[in-house]
Amino acid sequence: KQEVTQIPAALSVPEGENLVLNCSFTDSAIYNLQWFRQDPGKGLTSLLLIQSSQREQTSGRLNASLDKSSGRSTLYIAASQPGDSATYLCAVLPGANSKLTFGKGITLSVRP
Amino acid sequence: KAGVTQTPRYLIKTRGQQVTLSCSPISGHRSVSWYQQTPGQGLQFLFEYFSETQRNKGNFPGRFSGRQFSNSRSEMNVSTLELGDSALYLCASSRAPGSRGENGYTFGSGTRLTVV
């Protein structure tokens, strides 16, 4: 059974800092991995999708990497801003016909 | 293009009542999945529908049910509500199981259900 872990559960950093959010999964046989952002009380916004054949994806100040062999993904946020404060969730799709398995998320607070 | 639309946004119900939530996927998306999100359990998969057929089901009691219509819109129903059913219910749409690798999932804003 696939399990997804995100540690730590919360993180507080000063504005301008570059930071890395970690995600680990137990079964390396995945179809893809998706990073989401969730603002309090809101739905999920997709940030980046990495297919199993890819090593990384970039969008603006965000870069996500995938290492299937070690069961890890990282989300790199450059030059963090207070507007980046949110919960970041990592989700793994084990197979094309499977369901997404989510981590519990990392709540990020960027201090002005 | 319109995103995933969930209605209503907020709902307050009494224990023992039943509730129906609605989800309209992105145009062209034929797969709809439902998730329950609570502070303690995080996001838990409820079920997935594709072409009006349930394809996957999570570990929830039979009080939780769903269906999908020919226009891909989906509803989920919870009967005999319990206090523990209070949660944010999220719906996600995707094109089809076979193309999920390229496009991933798009989530709606959710329905906040409070059971009192």
Side-chain angles (χ1 to χ4, degrees):
Chain A
K1 175 188 166 191
Q2 178 73 268
E3 292 184 0
V4 180
T5 303
Q6 293 183 256
I7 295 173
L11 190 60
S12 180
V13 300
E15 182 177 5
E17 190 162 299
N18 300 325
L19 58 104
V20 172
L21 306 181
N22 293 306
C23 169
S24 62
F25 46 94
T26 53
D27 188 343
S28 62
I30 67 170
Y31 196 70
N32 66 33
L33 184 146
Q34 201 165 354
W35 281 92
F36 294 91
R37 167 185 171 140
Q38 185 175 33
D39 293 290
K42 301 294 178 66
L44 275 60
T45 300
S46 180
L47 297 173
L48 290 165
L49 170 71
I50 310 177
Q51 299 182 46
S52 62
S53 59
Q54 298 175 322
R55 293 299 298 260
E56 65 178 325
Q57 283 284 346
T58 298
S59 176
R61 294 183 294 109
L62 305 179
N63 174 277
S65 68
L66 174 64
D67 184 344
K68 286 198 308 178
S69 61
S70 65
R72 293 179 59 183
S73 176
T74 61
L75 178 66
Y76 174 82
I77 302 176
S80 59
Q81 305 169 357
D84 295 329
S85 298
T87 297
Y88 291 81
L89 294 130
C90 157
V92 166
L93 189 66
N97 295 311
S98 303
K99 61 178 178 67
L100 279 175
T101 299
F102 282 88
K104 291 286 181 71
I106 298 174
T107 298
L108 172 67
S109 173
V110 181
R111 308 186 302 271
Chain B
K1 89 184 178 185
V4 178
T5 303
Q6 290 190 247
T7 57
R9 287 283 285 121
Y10 303 93
L11 210 46
I12 300 176
K13 290 286 188 178
T14 304
R15 269 182 303 175
Q17 287 187 311
Q18 76 162 15
V19 66
T20 299
L21 313 182
S22 177
C23 172
S24 293
I26 290 173
S27 178
H29 284 195
R30 295 164 60 197
S31 175
V32 174
S33 302
W34 289 89
Y35 288 82
Q36 180 196 65
Q37 186 178 32
T38 58
Q41 299 296 319
L43 277 148
Q44 293 186 287
F45 173 76
L46 282 155
F47 27 65
E48 178 193 3
Y49 287 87
F50 176 71
S51 292
E52 301 178 65
T53 302
Q54 187 179 86
R55 294 179 58 88
N56 269 316
K57 190 176 190 308
N59 295 323
F60 279 80
R63 300 185 297 106
F64 291 81
S65 63
R67 59 178 176 168
Q68 186 180 35
F69 302 94
S70 58
N71 62 358
S72 295
R73 188 178 72 87
S74 177
E75 289 181 347
M76 67 164 280
N77 184 79
V78 187
S79 63
T80 320
L81 284 165
E82 301 176 359
L83 295 179
D85 297 332
S86 295
L88 180 65
Y89 289 87
L90 292 164
C91 158
S93 80
S94 60
R95 288 191 180 277
S99 66
R100 200 164 290 151
E102 296 81 34
N103 301 291
Y105 289 80
T106 302
F107 279 77
S109 297
T111 294
R112 170 73 62 182
L113 171 65
T114 302
V115 182
V116 297

